[in-house]
Amino acid sequence: MRPPAEGSGCGVMGGNDNSQSKEFHIVVVDDEISVLEMMTDMLEGAGWRVDAFSSGAEALQKIKRTRYDAAVLDLYMPDIPGLLIHSKLKFIDRELWTRTVFVSGHFSTEDLRRSLEGPARFVPNPFKSDALVGTVGLALPEVPRAVSEAAASG
């Protein structure tokens, strides 16, 4: 297991490396079903729970009702582009807004950095499992949000 970078995020972990790994909950949005399924398999293979959506509108409805630890967004989708979903996250769930990873085969990292406030996490498509899992791992909080909220209220 790799230690977290600069004290943020959880390191890349396999399914049995940490009892908290299953408690990390990630939302993935991509209109290409084959890519969506592949990303879901990769992230579940790392031991994380994943909710996958092919529609940005459906994803936003679920995000309003669920505390996710990270979001993985395709930049170009027909109903709602990933950058628009990201801008809505700033008002719906500000912490998730800071823990977003973008995926696209049609966008440069420099263009993305100019389009976003704060640090951009970007995985160019096509990508390998290690790149996606590693980048999402760095986006995750130290402790799953569901666990930290339960501890705070208990």
Side-chain angles (χ1 to χ4, degrees):
M1 183 162 115
R2 186 173 60 156
E6 300 177 18
S8 66
C10 81
V12 176
M13 59 181 90
N16 296 323
D17 289 343
N18 184 330
S19 62
Q20 290 182 344
S21 67
K22 284 282 186 204
E23 297 181 41
F24 283 109
H25 199 178
I26 300 163
V27 60
V28 179
V29 189
D30 196 309
D31 62 308
E32 293 183 50
I33 301 300
S34 61
V35 175
L36 183 65
E37 290 172 349
M38 180 179 58
M39 288 192 293
T40 299
D41 288 346
M42 289 174 177
L43 296 171
E44 287 177 343
W48 300 319
R49 288 188 305 140
V50 176
D51 287 347
F53 298 91
S54 59
S55 160
E58 288 177 21
L60 282 170
Q61 290 306 309
K62 183 72 172 189
I63 288 167
K64 289 176 183 177
R65 300 184 314 269
T66 306
R67 280 287 194 235
Y68 290 104
D69 296 297
V72 179
L73 306 175
D74 179 18
L75 285 171
Y76 295 108
M77 294 181 284
D79 67 335
I80 303 177
L83 284 174
L84 182 55
I85 293 171
H86 186 249
S87 68
K88 290 176 180 285
L89 287 179
K90 188 173 185 179
F91 302 100
I92 295 169
D93 185 340
R94 193 166 182 89
E95 184 170 347
L96 186 59
W97 174 76
T98 67
R99 299 186 179 285
T100 301
V101 174
F102 293 96
V103 176
S104 180
H106 311 289
F107 208 77
S108 79
T109 304
E110 282 308 309
D111 289 341
L112 181 61
R113 283 195 178 108
R114 283 193 293 271
S115 299
L116 295 175
E117 302 171 43
R121 292 182 186 95
F122 179 72
V123 179
N125 194 358
F127 51 83
K128 294 185 188 263
S129 179
D130 289 351
L132 179 66
V133 170
T135 303
V136 172
L138 292 173
L140 291 170
E142 292 288 330
V143 177
R145 292 174 75 190
V147 171
S148 64
E149 288 173 4
S153 65

